[in-house]
C-alpha cells in the first residue's frame, strides 16, 4: 500500500492541477461548456478507484479522515437521490459544483496524510495518533498512553 499511496497522491495532484489548467484555459471560450466539467468526472473517477483500492488493501479498516470522507459522500448521495423526485435536484447539482471540489481536496489531503505516515515508517499508526499493532492494518488498536497492549 505504501507505493500505491505515494502514486495515488501524485496522480490526484496532477489530475486536480490539470483540471484547473483546462478550466482556466477554456474560460470564456467557445468550448467552455463542452469540456468544463470533464475534470470533475476524471478526478472523481480516480478518487472512487482509489477508495476501492484502499478499502480492499486495508481489509475494510479505515482511519478517521477516510471514514469522514465516506460518510460525507454517503450523505451527498442520499441528498441527491432524495432530491431526484422534485425540482430540488437542480439546486443539489448546483451545490455540487462548489462542494465536490472541496471533497476532492479533502480526499487528497486524507491520502497525503496516509502517505506521510507510510514515508515516516509509521504505517502502523492511525491518523488519530493511536498505535496499531499489526503493520498497517488497524485490526488491533492500542492507546499509546496505556501500559498494556491489546492484541
Amino acid at each position: 500500500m505504501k507505493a500505491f499511496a505515494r502514486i495515488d497522491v501524485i496522480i490526484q495532484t496532477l489530475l486536480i492541477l490539470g483540471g484547473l489548467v483546462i478550466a482556466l484555459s477554456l474560460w470564456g471560450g467557445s468550448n467552455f461548456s463542452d469540456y468544463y466539467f470533464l475534470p470533475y468526472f476524471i478526478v472523481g473517477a480516480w478518487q472512487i478507484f482509489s477508495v476501492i483500492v484502499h478499502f480492499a488493501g486495508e481489509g475494510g479498516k479505515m482511519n478517521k479522515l477516510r471514514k469522514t470522507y465516506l460518510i460525507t459522500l454517503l450523505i451527498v448521495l442520499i441528498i441527491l437521490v432524495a432530491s431526484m423526485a422534485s425540482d430540488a435536484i437542480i439546486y443539489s447539482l448546483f451545490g455540487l459544483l462548489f462542494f465536490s471540489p472541496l471533497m476532492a481536496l479533502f480526499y487528497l489531503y486524507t491520502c497525503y496524510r496516509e502517505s506521510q505516515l507510510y514515508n515516516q515508517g509509521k504505517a502502523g499508526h492511525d491518523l488519530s495518533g493511536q498505535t496499531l499493532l499489526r503493520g498497517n492494518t488497524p485490526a488491533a488498536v492500542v492507546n499509546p498512553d496505556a501500559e498494556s497492549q491489546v492484541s
Side-chain angles (χ1 to χ4, degrees):
M1 285 303 296
K2 179 179 179 179
F4 180 77
R6 188 176 326 141
I7 292 168
D8 187 23
V9 170
I10 292 169
I11 289 175
Q12 284 186 60
T13 303
L14 291 175
L15 289 176
I16 290 171
L17 291 176
L20 283 172
V21 168
I22 289 171
L24 293 175
S25 67
L26 295 175
W27 193 267
S30 62
N31 291 333
F32 177 74
S33 63
D34 294 338
Y35 299 105
Y36 183 74
F37 299 108
L38 184 63
Y40 279 77
F41 294 104
I42 294 172
V43 172
W46 176 263
Q47 288 187 339
I48 289 173
F49 171 74
S50 172
V51 165
I52 293 168
V53 169
H54 280 282
F55 188 76
E58 295 294 331
K61 306 298 181 187
M62 296 173 276
N63 61 49
K64 288 181 181 180
L65 287 175
R66 191 167 294 278
K67 284 180 185 176
T68 302
Y69 173 79
L70 290 176
I71 289 169
T72 306
L73 189 60
L74 180 64
I75 291 169
V76 167
L77 287 173
I78 290 170
I79 290 170
L80 280 175
V81 169
S83 66
M84 286 179 125
S86 66
D87 291 338
I89 188 70
I90 299 296
Y91 300 111
S92 298
L93 292 174
F94 184 74
L96 275 180
L97 286 176
F98 303 101
F99 189 66
S100 61
L102 296 176
M103 285 189 61
L105 291 174
F106 179 73
Y107 187 71
L108 174 62
Y109 173 75
T110 299
C111 292
Y112 173 73
R113 289 286 295 137
E114 288 176 348
S115 179
Q116 276 186 327
L117 292 175
Y118 281 120
N119 289 337
Q120 294 171 359
K122 297 179 180 177
H125 287 69
D126 189 9
L127 297 179
S128 64
Q130 295 175 323
T131 303
L132 307 175
L133 292 178
R134 286 186 258 153
N136 62 353
T137 29
V141 179
V142 127
N143 183 346
D145 300 327
E147 293 180 17
S148 64
Q149 293 184 352
V150 178
S151 58

